[in-house]
Amino acid sequence: MIETHSIEIVKSTAPVLQKNSEAIGKRFYQLLFESHPELYNIFNQTNQKRGVQQRALAHSVYICGEHMDHLDAIKPIILRICHKHRAIGIVPEHYPIVGKHLIQAVKDVLGNQVTEEIIQAWEKAYQYIADIFIEIEQELYDQARAQEGGWEGFREFVVVKKVKESDVINSFYLKPADGKAIAQFQPGQYLTLKAKIPGEKYTHIRHYSLSDAPGKDYYRISVKREDARNGNPAGIVSNYLHRNIQEGGILEFSSPAGDFILNTKSMNPVVLISGGVGLTPMISMLNTIIEKQPGRKVTYIHAAINGRHHAMKEHVARLASQNSNIRSYVCYESPTEEDRRTESFDKEGFIDQAWLESILDNTQGEFYLCGPIPFMQVIYRALRQMDIPKERIHYEAFGPMSTLGE
Ligand code: FAD
Protein backbone atom coordinates (compact mmCIF):
# COMPACT_ATOMS: atom_id res chain seq x y z
CA MET A 1 0.00 0.00 0.00
CA ILE A 2 1.21 3.52 -0.63
CA GLU A 3 1.44 5.99 2.24
CA THR A 4 -1.57 7.99 3.44
CA HIS A 5 -0.24 11.34 2.32
CA SER A 6 0.06 10.19 -1.32
CA ILE A 7 -3.39 8.61 -1.18
CA GLU A 8 -4.85 11.89 0.02
CA ILE A 9 -3.18 13.76 -2.82
CA VAL A 10 -4.40 11.24 -5.39
CA LYS A 11 -7.96 11.28 -4.09
CA SER A 12 -8.12 15.06 -3.90
CA THR A 13 -6.72 15.51 -7.42
CA ALA A 14 -8.74 12.71 -9.07
CA PRO A 15 -11.60 15.12 -9.92
CA VAL A 16 -9.16 17.43 -11.76
CA LEU A 17 -8.03 14.48 -13.85
CA GLN A 18 -11.63 13.52 -14.42
CA LYS A 19 -12.44 17.02 -15.63
CA ASN A 20 -9.60 16.90 -18.12
CA SER A 21 -9.94 13.21 -18.87
CA GLU A 22 -10.65 13.47 -22.57
CA ALA A 23 -7.66 15.71 -23.24
CA ILE A 24 -5.41 13.51 -21.10
CA GLY A 25 -6.63 10.34 -22.81
CA LYS A 26 -6.12 11.87 -26.25
CA ARG A 27 -2.61 13.09 -25.43
CA PHE A 28 -1.74 9.74 -23.84
CA TYR A 29 -2.59 7.67 -26.92
CA GLN A 30 -0.80 10.19 -29.14
CA LEU A 31 2.40 9.81 -27.08
CA LEU A 32 1.99 6.04 -26.79
CA PHE A 33 1.58 5.34 -30.50
CA GLU A 34 4.30 7.81 -31.51
CA SER A 35 6.85 5.87 -29.51
CA HIS A 36 5.30 2.37 -29.78
CA PRO A 37 3.43 2.08 -33.08
CA GLU A 38 3.50 -1.72 -32.71
CA LEU A 39 0.80 -1.28 -30.03
CA TYR A 40 -1.63 -0.44 -32.83
CA ASN A 41 -1.72 -4.23 -33.22
CA ILE A 42 -3.28 -4.55 -29.78
CA PHE A 43 -5.41 -1.46 -29.20
CA ASN A 44 -8.68 -1.03 -31.09
CA GLN A 45 -7.92 1.74 -33.57
CA THR A 46 -11.57 2.56 -34.30
CA ASN A 47 -12.22 3.09 -30.61
CA GLN A 48 -9.30 5.58 -30.63
CA LYS A 49 -10.78 7.44 -33.59
CA ARG A 50 -14.20 7.56 -31.96
CA GLY A 51 -12.66 8.80 -28.71
CA VAL A 52 -14.35 6.05 -26.68
CA GLN A 53 -11.08 4.37 -25.68
CA GLN A 54 -9.70 7.65 -24.36
CA ARG A 55 -12.82 8.20 -22.27
CA ALA A 56 -12.75 4.64 -20.94
CA LEU A 57 -9.09 4.89 -19.97
CA ALA A 58 -9.51 8.27 -18.32
CA HIS A 59 -12.55 7.00 -16.42
CA SER A 60 -10.62 3.95 -15.18
CA VAL A 61 -7.74 6.13 -13.97
CA TYR A 62 -10.20 8.41 -12.22
CA ILE A 63 -12.15 5.72 -10.42
CA CYS A 64 -8.98 3.91 -9.38
CA GLY A 65 -7.63 7.20 -8.00
CA GLU A 66 -10.86 7.96 -6.20
CA HIS A 67 -11.02 4.47 -4.68
CA MET A 68 -7.31 4.31 -3.91
CA ASP A 69 -7.83 3.31 -0.26
CA HIS A 70 -10.71 0.90 -0.90
CA LEU A 71 -10.09 -0.69 -4.28
CA ASP A 72 -12.21 -3.65 -3.20
CA ALA A 73 -15.26 -1.53 -3.97
CA ILE A 74 -14.33 -1.48 -7.66
CA LYS A 75 -13.08 -5.06 -7.87
CA PRO A 76 -15.70 -6.08 -10.49
CA ILE A 77 -14.56 -3.22 -12.73
CA ILE A 78 -10.92 -4.16 -12.31
CA LEU A 79 -11.67 -7.82 -13.02
CA ARG A 80 -13.58 -6.98 -16.19
CA ILE A 81 -10.66 -4.91 -17.50
CA CYS A 82 -8.18 -7.67 -16.56
CA HIS A 83 -10.19 -10.22 -18.57
CA LYS A 84 -9.98 -7.94 -21.61
CA HIS A 85 -6.26 -7.39 -21.04
CA ARG A 86 -5.63 -11.12 -20.85
CA ALA A 87 -7.73 -11.68 -23.97
CA ILE A 88 -5.85 -9.13 -26.07
CA GLY A 89 -2.42 -10.09 -24.73
CA ILE A 90 -1.41 -7.31 -22.35
CA VAL A 91 1.71 -8.38 -20.44
CA PRO A 92 3.61 -6.86 -17.46
CA GLU A 93 6.12 -5.21 -19.83
CA HIS A 94 3.35 -3.00 -21.20
CA TYR A 95 2.64 -1.37 -17.84
CA PRO A 96 5.80 0.80 -17.51
CA ILE A 97 5.29 1.99 -21.10
CA VAL A 98 1.69 2.97 -20.40
CA GLY A 99 2.61 4.52 -17.03
CA LYS A 100 5.36 6.70 -18.51
CA HIS A 101 3.12 8.14 -21.24
CA LEU A 102 0.12 8.52 -18.96
CA ILE A 103 2.07 10.61 -16.48
CA GLN A 104 3.58 12.62 -19.31
CA ALA A 105 0.08 13.21 -20.72
CA VAL A 106 -1.08 14.50 -17.30
CA LYS A 107 1.90 16.88 -17.19
CA ASP A 108 1.30 18.07 -20.76
CA VAL A 109 -2.40 18.71 -20.28
CA LEU A 110 -2.44 20.11 -16.76
CA GLY A 111 0.87 22.04 -17.01
CA ASN A 112 1.50 24.09 -13.90
CA GLN A 113 -1.83 23.05 -12.34
CA VAL A 114 0.12 20.03 -11.02
CA THR A 115 3.12 20.18 -8.72
CA GLU A 116 5.99 17.69 -8.63
CA GLU A 117 4.50 16.31 -5.39
CA ILE A 118 1.18 15.56 -7.14
CA ILE A 119 2.97 13.86 -10.05
CA GLN A 120 4.97 11.69 -7.63
CA ALA A 121 1.82 10.66 -5.77
CA TRP A 122 0.18 9.63 -9.06
CA GLU A 123 3.30 7.73 -10.12
CA LYS A 124 3.14 5.74 -6.90
CA ALA A 125 -0.61 5.19 -7.33
CA TYR A 126 -0.13 4.00 -10.90
CA GLN A 127 2.55 1.54 -9.83
CA TYR A 128 0.36 0.25 -7.03
CA ILE A 129 -2.66 -0.25 -9.31
CA ALA A 130 -0.52 -1.71 -12.11
CA ASP A 131 0.83 -4.34 -9.70
CA ILE A 132 -2.73 -5.36 -8.81
CA PHE A 133 -3.69 -5.64 -12.49
CA ILE A 134 -0.55 -7.63 -13.30
CA GLU A 135 -1.22 -10.08 -10.48
CA ILE A 136 -4.85 -10.69 -11.49
CA GLU A 137 -3.90 -10.98 -15.17
CA GLN A 138 -1.17 -13.48 -14.29
CA GLU A 139 -3.80 -15.65 -12.59
CA LEU A 140 -6.04 -15.40 -15.66
CA TYR A 141 -3.14 -16.37 -17.96
CA ASP A 142 -2.34 -19.32 -15.67
CA GLN A 143 -5.98 -20.46 -15.66
CA ALA A 144 -6.23 -20.23 -19.47
CA ARG A 145 -3.02 -22.25 -19.86
CA ALA A 146 -3.83 -24.88 -17.24
CA GLN A 147 -7.33 -25.71 -18.40
CA GLU A 148 -7.79 -28.77 -20.62
CA GLY A 149 -7.85 -27.65 -24.22
CA GLY A 150 -6.62 -24.21 -23.13
CA TRP A 151 -3.94 -22.28 -24.97
CA GLU A 152 -1.66 -19.28 -24.75
CA GLY A 153 -1.82 -16.33 -27.09
CA PHE A 154 -3.72 -16.75 -30.35
CA ARG A 155 -4.61 -20.09 -31.92
CA GLU A 156 -5.77 -20.85 -35.46
CA PHE A 157 -9.35 -21.97 -36.01
CA VAL A 158 -11.01 -23.16 -39.20
CA VAL A 159 -14.45 -21.83 -40.06
CA VAL A 160 -16.29 -25.13 -40.53
CA LYS A 161 -19.69 -23.55 -41.10
CA LYS A 162 -21.02 -20.07 -41.85
CA VAL A 163 -24.73 -19.48 -41.33
CA LYS A 164 -26.86 -16.45 -42.15
CA GLU A 165 -28.94 -15.71 -39.06
CA SER A 166 -30.59 -12.46 -40.21
CA ASP A 167 -30.09 -9.69 -42.78
CA VAL A 168 -27.14 -8.42 -40.75
CA ILE A 169 -25.89 -11.30 -38.57
CA ASN A 170 -23.83 -14.32 -39.62
CA SER A 171 -22.69 -17.15 -37.37
CA PHE A 172 -19.26 -18.72 -37.71
CA TYR A 173 -18.66 -22.24 -36.39
CA LEU A 174 -15.02 -22.71 -35.44
CA LYS A 175 -12.85 -25.77 -34.94
CA PRO A 176 -9.17 -25.63 -34.00
CA ALA A 177 -6.83 -26.07 -36.97
CA ASP A 178 -4.59 -28.37 -34.89
CA GLY A 179 -7.49 -30.79 -34.37
CA LYS A 180 -6.90 -30.88 -30.61
CA ALA A 181 -9.38 -30.23 -27.78
CA ILE A 182 -10.79 -26.78 -27.09
CA ALA A 183 -11.11 -25.10 -23.71
CA GLN A 184 -14.46 -25.06 -21.94
CA PHE A 185 -16.09 -21.71 -21.31
CA GLN A 186 -18.90 -20.30 -19.26
CA PRO A 187 -22.06 -19.08 -20.96
CA GLY A 188 -21.69 -15.33 -21.44
CA GLN A 189 -17.95 -15.36 -22.16
CA TYR A 190 -16.33 -14.20 -25.39
CA LEU A 191 -13.54 -15.13 -27.77
CA THR A 192 -11.06 -12.55 -28.97
CA LEU A 193 -10.17 -12.41 -32.64
CA LYS A 194 -6.91 -11.10 -34.04
CA ALA A 195 -7.82 -10.25 -37.63
CA LYS A 196 -5.01 -10.08 -40.17
CA ILE A 197 -6.76 -8.25 -42.96
CA PRO A 198 -4.97 -8.05 -46.31
CA GLY A 199 -3.92 -4.47 -47.02
CA GLU A 200 -4.15 -3.38 -43.36
CA LYS A 201 -0.83 -2.37 -41.78
CA TYR A 202 -1.74 -3.58 -38.31
CA THR A 203 -3.84 -6.42 -36.96
CA HIS A 204 -7.32 -5.65 -35.59
CA ILE A 205 -8.45 -7.20 -32.34
CA ARG A 206 -12.17 -7.66 -31.60
CA HIS A 207 -14.16 -9.59 -28.99
CA TYR A 208 -17.09 -11.84 -29.97
CA SER A 209 -19.37 -13.49 -27.41
CA LEU A 210 -19.77 -17.22 -27.74
CA SER A 211 -23.29 -17.76 -28.97
CA ASP A 212 -23.88 -21.44 -28.25
CA ALA A 213 -23.78 -23.51 -25.07
CA PRO A 214 -20.41 -24.89 -23.97
CA GLY A 215 -19.54 -28.57 -24.21
CA LYS A 216 -19.36 -28.85 -28.01
CA ASP A 217 -16.33 -29.66 -30.14
CA TYR A 218 -16.68 -26.26 -31.81
CA TYR A 219 -17.13 -22.65 -30.82
CA ARG A 220 -19.74 -20.44 -32.40
CA ILE A 221 -19.66 -16.67 -32.71
CA SER A 222 -22.36 -14.55 -34.37
CA VAL A 223 -21.30 -11.27 -35.88
CA LYS A 224 -23.35 -8.26 -36.92
CA ARG A 225 -22.20 -6.47 -40.06
CA GLU A 226 -21.62 -2.84 -39.13
CA ASP A 227 -22.59 -0.85 -42.22
CA ALA A 228 -21.39 2.67 -43.03
CA ARG A 229 -23.76 5.08 -41.32
CA ASN A 230 -24.14 8.80 -40.65
CA GLY A 231 -20.92 9.56 -42.49
CA ASN A 232 -18.95 6.99 -40.51
CA PRO A 233 -17.13 4.21 -42.35
CA ALA A 234 -18.28 0.59 -42.31
CA GLY A 235 -16.92 -1.59 -39.48
CA ILE A 236 -13.55 -3.04 -40.46
CA VAL A 237 -13.60 -6.50 -38.91
CA SER A 238 -17.30 -7.35 -39.11
CA ASN A 239 -17.35 -6.55 -42.84
CA TYR A 240 -14.16 -8.51 -43.39
CA LEU A 241 -15.77 -11.52 -41.67
CA HIS A 242 -19.04 -11.20 -43.58
CA ARG A 243 -17.47 -10.62 -46.98
CA ASN A 244 -14.11 -12.36 -47.00
CA ILE A 245 -14.33 -15.25 -44.57
CA GLN A 246 -16.03 -18.33 -45.95
CA GLU A 247 -16.11 -21.95 -44.84
CA GLY A 248 -12.54 -23.24 -44.76
CA GLY A 249 -11.18 -19.80 -43.81
CA ILE A 250 -8.69 -19.50 -40.93
CA LEU A 251 -9.07 -17.09 -38.01
CA GLU A 252 -6.97 -16.60 -34.87
CA PHE A 253 -8.50 -16.40 -31.43
CA SER A 254 -7.29 -16.17 -27.85
CA SER A 255 -9.01 -18.42 -25.32
CA PRO A 256 -12.43 -17.64 -23.80
CA ALA A 257 -12.56 -14.71 -21.39
CA GLY A 258 -15.01 -12.53 -19.53
CA ASP A 259 -16.82 -12.24 -16.23
CA PHE A 260 -20.36 -11.77 -17.58
CA ILE A 261 -21.43 -15.33 -16.88
CA LEU A 262 -24.49 -17.34 -16.05
CA ASN A 263 -24.34 -18.84 -12.60
CA THR A 264 -25.10 -22.47 -13.44
CA LYS A 265 -24.84 -23.56 -9.81
CA SER A 266 -28.09 -21.78 -9.05
CA MET A 267 -31.62 -22.70 -10.15
CA ASN A 268 -32.93 -19.18 -9.46
CA PRO A 269 -35.11 -17.75 -12.22
CA VAL A 270 -33.28 -15.85 -14.93
CA VAL A 271 -34.41 -12.85 -16.97
CA LEU A 272 -32.41 -12.30 -20.15
CA ILE A 273 -32.85 -8.94 -21.90
CA SER A 274 -31.02 -8.22 -25.14
CA GLY A 275 -31.04 -5.66 -27.89
CA GLY A 276 -29.79 -6.32 -31.45
CA VAL A 277 -26.65 -8.41 -31.63
CA GLY A 278 -26.55 -8.33 -27.82
CA LEU A 279 -28.46 -11.59 -28.08
CA THR A 280 -25.28 -13.64 -28.54
CA PRO A 281 -24.37 -14.25 -24.88
CA MET A 282 -28.09 -14.68 -24.08
CA ILE A 283 -28.47 -17.49 -26.59
CA SER A 284 -25.46 -19.20 -25.04
CA MET A 285 -27.08 -18.86 -21.60
CA LEU A 286 -30.47 -19.99 -22.84
CA ASN A 287 -29.06 -23.04 -24.65
CA THR A 288 -27.04 -23.92 -21.54
CA ILE A 289 -30.12 -23.83 -19.35
CA ILE A 290 -32.01 -26.05 -21.81
CA GLU A 291 -29.15 -28.56 -21.90
CA LYS A 292 -27.88 -28.46 -18.32
CA GLN A 293 -30.58 -27.00 -16.09
CA PRO A 294 -33.94 -28.35 -17.27
CA GLY A 295 -36.81 -26.70 -15.46
CA ARG A 296 -34.93 -23.51 -14.58
CA LYS A 297 -37.25 -20.59 -15.29
CA VAL A 298 -36.17 -18.22 -18.03
CA THR A 299 -37.86 -15.10 -19.32
CA TYR A 300 -36.13 -14.01 -22.50
CA ILE A 301 -36.91 -10.51 -23.77
CA HIS A 302 -35.34 -9.44 -27.05
CA ALA A 303 -35.54 -6.14 -28.90
CA ALA A 304 -34.70 -5.76 -32.59
CA ILE A 305 -35.43 -3.27 -35.34
CA ASN A 306 -37.73 -5.79 -37.00
CA GLY A 307 -37.95 -9.46 -37.95
CA ARG A 308 -35.39 -9.10 -40.72
CA HIS A 309 -32.77 -8.01 -38.20
CA HIS A 310 -33.82 -10.56 -35.60
CA ALA A 311 -31.35 -13.47 -35.52
CA MET A 312 -32.18 -16.97 -34.23
CA LYS A 313 -35.85 -16.09 -33.72
CA GLU A 314 -37.12 -19.51 -34.85
CA HIS A 315 -34.68 -21.20 -32.49
CA VAL A 316 -35.89 -19.21 -29.45
CA ALA A 317 -39.56 -19.57 -30.45
CA ARG A 318 -39.10 -23.34 -30.71
CA LEU A 319 -37.43 -23.57 -27.28
CA ALA A 320 -40.26 -21.53 -25.74
CA SER A 321 -42.94 -23.69 -27.35
CA GLN A 322 -41.27 -26.95 -26.30
CA ASN A 323 -40.27 -25.98 -22.74
CA SER A 324 -42.83 -24.64 -20.30
CA ASN A 325 -40.05 -23.08 -18.18
CA ILE A 326 -39.02 -20.75 -21.06
CA ARG A 327 -41.03 -17.63 -21.88
CA SER A 328 -40.03 -15.45 -24.79
CA TYR A 329 -41.05 -11.85 -25.59
CA VAL A 330 -40.12 -9.85 -28.65
CA CYS A 331 -40.16 -6.09 -29.12
CA TYR A 332 -39.73 -4.61 -32.62
CA GLU A 333 -38.91 -0.96 -33.12
CA SER A 334 -40.48 -0.82 -36.62
CA PRO A 335 -42.12 -4.10 -37.57
CA THR A 336 -42.39 -5.02 -41.25
CA GLU A 337 -45.64 -6.02 -42.95
CA GLU A 338 -44.45 -9.63 -42.71
CA ASP A 339 -43.92 -9.24 -38.93
CA ARG A 340 -47.48 -7.96 -38.58
CA ARG A 341 -48.90 -10.70 -40.77
CA THR A 342 -47.11 -13.44 -38.79
CA GLU A 343 -47.72 -11.72 -35.42
CA SER A 344 -44.11 -12.40 -34.58
CA PHE A 345 -43.71 -9.69 -31.94
CA ASP A 346 -45.29 -8.78 -28.62
CA LYS A 347 -44.58 -5.07 -28.49
CA GLU A 348 -43.98 -2.32 -31.00
CA GLY A 349 -41.59 0.54 -30.23
CA PHE A 350 -39.21 0.35 -27.30
CA ILE A 351 -39.01 -1.64 -24.09
CA ASP A 352 -40.15 0.45 -21.14
CA GLN A 353 -40.79 -0.04 -17.46
CA ALA A 354 -44.56 -0.38 -17.78
CA TRP A 355 -44.19 -3.19 -20.30
CA LEU A 356 -41.52 -4.93 -18.21
CA GLU A 357 -43.81 -4.76 -15.19
CA SER A 358 -46.66 -6.21 -17.24
CA ILE A 359 -44.70 -9.25 -18.45
CA LEU A 360 -42.52 -10.09 -15.45
CA ASP A 361 -44.69 -12.03 -13.04
CA ASN A 362 -42.17 -11.44 -10.31
CA THR A 363 -38.83 -9.77 -9.97
CA GLN A 364 -36.95 -12.59 -8.32
CA GLY A 365 -33.80 -14.10 -9.76
CA GLU A 366 -30.94 -12.81 -11.84
CA PHE A 367 -31.15 -10.27 -14.65
CA TYR A 368 -28.74 -10.30 -17.57
CA LEU A 369 -28.59 -7.39 -20.03
CA CYS A 370 -26.70 -7.00 -23.26
CA GLY A 371 -27.20 -4.50 -26.06
CA PRO A 372 -26.37 -0.93 -27.09
CA ILE A 373 -25.38 1.28 -24.14
CA PRO A 374 -28.44 3.62 -24.30
CA PHE A 375 -30.68 0.53 -24.44
CA MET A 376 -29.03 -0.97 -21.36
CA GLN A 377 -29.18 2.33 -19.50
CA VAL A 378 -32.94 2.54 -20.02
CA ILE A 379 -33.50 -1.07 -18.95
CA TYR A 380 -31.14 -0.76 -16.01
CA ARG A 381 -32.96 2.32 -14.71
CA ALA A 382 -36.32 0.60 -15.16
CA LEU A 383 -35.17 -2.48 -13.24
CA ARG A 384 -33.78 -0.32 -10.45
CA GLN A 385 -37.11 1.54 -10.30
CA MET A 386 -38.70 -1.87 -9.88
CA ASP A 387 -36.52 -2.32 -6.77
CA ILE A 388 -34.28 -4.97 -8.26
CA PRO A 389 -30.98 -4.71 -6.41
CA LYS A 390 -27.82 -3.88 -8.36
CA GLU A 391 -26.25 -7.17 -7.32
CA ARG A 392 -28.85 -9.09 -9.33
CA ILE A 393 -28.40 -7.05 -12.52
CA HIS A 394 -25.49 -8.16 -14.70
CA TYR A 395 -24.56 -6.58 -18.00
CA GLU A 396 -22.09 -6.76 -20.85
CA ALA A 397 -21.19 -3.86 -23.09
CA PHE A 398 -19.91 -4.50 -26.59
CA GLY A 399 -17.40 -1.67 -26.24
CA PRO A 400 -14.80 -0.23 -23.89
CA MET A 401 -16.90 0.72 -20.89
CA SER A 402 -17.16 -0.82 -17.50
CA THR A 403 -20.25 0.61 -15.83
CA LEU A 404 -23.63 2.01 -16.83
CA GLY A 405 -22.77 5.03 -14.74
CA GLU A 406 -25.16 4.10 -11.95
P1 FAD B 1 -15.20 -0.83 -36.21
O1 FAD B 1 -14.30 -0.63 -37.38
O2 FAD B 1 -14.59 -1.13 -34.91
O3 FAD B 1 -16.28 0.27 -36.14
C1 FAD B 1 -17.24 0.26 -35.10
C2 FAD B 1 -18.27 1.36 -35.35
O4 FAD B 1 -17.64 2.62 -35.29
C3 FAD B 1 -18.93 1.25 -36.73
O5 FAD B 1 -20.30 1.43 -36.55
C4 FAD B 1 -18.33 2.38 -37.52
O6 FAD B 1 -19.25 2.91 -38.44
C5 FAD B 1 -18.01 3.39 -36.43
N1 FAD B 1 -16.85 4.24 -36.78
C6 FAD B 1 -15.75 3.90 -37.47
N2 FAD B 1 -14.89 4.94 -37.55
C7 FAD B 1 -15.47 5.96 -36.88
C8 FAD B 1 -15.10 7.30 -36.61
N3 FAD B 1 -13.94 7.80 -37.04
N4 FAD B 1 -15.96 8.07 -35.87
C9 FAD B 1 -17.13 7.57 -35.43
N5 FAD B 1 -17.54 6.31 -35.67
C10 FAD B 1 -16.73 5.52 -36.38
N6 FAD B 1 -20.16 -7.92 -31.94
C11 FAD B 1 -20.94 -8.83 -32.58
O7 FAD B 1 -21.32 -8.62 -33.73
N7 FAD B 1 -21.28 -10.02 -31.96
C12 FAD B 1 -20.88 -10.31 -30.69
O8 FAD B 1 -21.22 -11.36 -30.16
C13 FAD B 1 -20.05 -9.37 -30.02
N8 FAD B 1 -19.61 -9.62 -28.77
C14 FAD B 1 -18.84 -8.71 -28.12
C15 FAD B 1 -18.40 -8.97 -26.83
C16 FAD B 1 -17.64 -8.04 -26.14
C17 FAD B 1 -17.20 -8.34 -24.72
C18 FAD B 1 -17.27 -6.84 -26.79
C19 FAD B 1 -16.43 -5.81 -26.06
C20 FAD B 1 -17.66 -6.58 -28.07
C21 FAD B 1 -18.46 -7.50 -28.76
N9 FAD B 1 -18.89 -7.27 -30.07
C22 FAD B 1 -19.71 -8.18 -30.70
C23 FAD B 1 -18.48 -6.05 -30.81
C24 FAD B 1 -17.25 -6.39 -31.68
O9 FAD B 1 -16.15 -6.63 -30.84
C25 FAD B 1 -16.88 -5.24 -32.64
O10 FAD B 1 -16.79 -4.06 -31.91
C26 FAD B 1 -17.87 -5.09 -33.77
O11 FAD B 1 -17.88 -6.27 -34.57
C27 FAD B 1 -17.49 -3.91 -34.66
O12 FAD B 1 -16.19 -4.10 -35.14
P2 FAD B 1 -15.79 -3.61 -36.59
O13 FAD B 1 -14.32 -3.76 -36.74
O14 FAD B 1 -16.65 -4.19 -37.63
O15 FAD B 1 -16.17 -2.10 -36.55
Side-chain angles (χ1 to χ4, degrees):
M1 193 57 174
I2 59 175
E3 78 282 7
T4 319
H5 183 55
S6 294
I7 292 176
E8 276 163 10
I9 294 177
V10 166
K11 286 183 73 170
S12 65
T13 52
V16 185
L17 261 69
Q18 163 83 337
K19 213 170 130 215
N20 295 277
S21 58
E22 288 210 42
I24 294 170
K26 202 167 158 205
R27 178 70 182 139
F28 161 71
Y29 282 111
Q30 197 180 19
L31 291 168
L32 184 74
F33 293 131
E34 264 167 28
S35 58
H36 290 277
E38 75 283 1
L39 293 177
Y40 274 127
N41 287 307
I42 296 187
F43 288 92
N44 183 317
Q45 295 152 47
T46 304
N47 286 344
Q48 312 293 326
K49 288 189 197 132
R50 293 169 62 202
V52 286
Q53 193 75 52
Q54 289 85 327
R55 282 198 290 278
L57 170 92
H59 182 68
S60 307
V61 171
Y62 164 70
I63 52 169
C64 284
E66 209 193 40
H67 293 83
M68 210 47 220
D69 49 356
H70 55 293
L71 285 172
D72 261 6
I74 53 165
K75 217 169 157 191
I77 296 174
I78 294 178
L79 188 62
R80 183 155 289 198
I81 298 171
C82 289
H83 271 277
K84 293 248 178 81
H85 283 177
R86 201 286 290 152
I88 65 176
I90 297 288
V91 289
E93 289 72 28
H94 289 129
Y95 280 89
I97 299 171
V98 167
K100 178 179 157 198
H101 296 301
L102 195 54
I103 296 294
Q104 188 57 49
V106 172
K107 284 185 187 168
D108 289 356
V109 171
L110 296 181
N112 53 16
Q113 284 184 67
V114 283
T115 62
E116 193 48 39
E117 191 186 29
I118 294 174
I119 288 294
Q120 280 175 11
W122 272 97
E123 278 172 344
K124 284 183 201 164
Y126 176 82
Q127 191 55 53
Y128 176 70
I129 294 164
D131 287 344
I132 293 173
F133 273 70
I134 290 169
E135 198 181 319
I136 299 173
E137 284 159 21
Q138 193 53 53
E139 279 169 28
L140 295 175
Y141 276 111
D142 291 346
Q143 282 167 17
R145 225 186 342 256
Q147 125 153 248
E148 205 195 325
W151 67 95
E152 258 186 282
F154 288 82
R155 181 177 176 189
E156 288 192 343
F157 282 76
V158 184
V159 175
V160 292
K161 195 159 73 161
K162 180 177 174 183
V163 175
K164 182 174 162 134
E165 306 281 9
S166 78
D167 276 9
V168 287
I169 297 177
N170 278 341
S171 281
F172 298 82
Y173 290 71
L174 309 158
K175 284 193 175 181
D178 59 18
K180 295 187 181 154
I182 51 173
Q184 279 313 312
F185 64 92
Q186 305 197 59
Q189 287 194 305
Y190 54 83
L191 287 183
T192 300
L193 167 70
K194 184 198 273 186
K196 292 176 176 162
I197 304 179
E200 289 281 322
K201 190 167 177 195
Y202 299 103
T203 56
H204 292 276
I205 292 197
R206 298 289 184 275
H207 309 289
Y208 290 104
S209 299
L210 288 144
S211 63
D212 201 353
K216 316 276 189 292
D217 66 349
Y218 61 83
Y219 292 131
R220 183 178 73 178
I221 58 167
S222 306
V223 179
K224 179 185 167 218
R225 190 189 65 235
E226 296 291 346
D227 294 328
R229 216 157 30 110
N230 304 332
N232 293 319
I236 298 169
V237 176
S238 58
N239 277 279
Y240 167 68
L241 292 173
H242 273 247
R243 283 192 201 138
N244 300 66
I245 296 297
Q246 314 304 341
E247 289 174 4
I250 301 279
L251 294 169
E252 290 180 40
F253 293 93
S254 67
S255 61
D259 63 335
F260 175 70
I261 49 180
L262 176 73
N263 178 3
T264 47
K265 294 197 177 79
S266 156
M267 281 299 278
N268 281 347
V270 171
V271 179
L272 308 173
I273 308 179
S274 56
V277 75
L279 57 66
T280 50
M282 306 304 179
I283 299 290
S284 176
M285 293 182 185
L286 181 64
N287 289 356
T288 305
I289 289 172
I290 293 285
E291 291 174 21
K292 304 266 171 14
Q293 301 191 288
R296 186 172 186 184
K297 279 196 167 151
V298 181
T299 305
Y300 181 23
I301 303 164
H302 181 65
I305 294 177
N306 56 43
R308 292 175 48 191
H309 285 244
H310 184 176
M312 301 173 193
K313 60 180 174 214
E314 288 85 11
H315 172 72
V316 175
R318 193 173 54 249
L319 294 183
S321 70
Q322 292 171 352
N323 298 273
S324 58
N325 56 316
I326 312 289
R327 291 191 303 154
S328 158
Y329 296 93
V330 171
C331 174
Y332 287 157
E333 188 181 328
S334 7
T336 61
E337 283 311 313
E338 172 73 1
D339 297 331
R340 290 188 198 286
R341 198 181 54 74
T342 53
E343 297 182 359
S344 54
F345 60 100
D346 304 283
K347 180 172 172 34
E348 181 170 349
F350 297 100
I351 298 176
D352 55 31
Q353 186 178 337
W355 187 57
L356 287 175
E357 280 172 339
S358 73
I359 59 175
L360 294 174
D361 52 3
N362 68 59
T363 51
Q364 297 309 304
E366 302 295 315
F367 289 73
Y368 291 86
L369 320 183
C370 187
I373 304 291
F375 167 87
M376 290 202 291
Q377 281 170 332
V378 166
I379 310 283
Y380 185 87
R381 271 197 294 270
L383 297 178
R384 295 287 295 124
Q385 287 287 321
M386 291 159 69
D387 287 335
I388 295 155
K390 285 179 185 175
E391 298 69 39
R392 289 202 278 114
I393 310 176
H394 316 278
Y395 51 82
E396 180 75 286
F398 282 1
M401 59 82 74
S402 41
T403 74
L404 289 180
E406 68 271 44

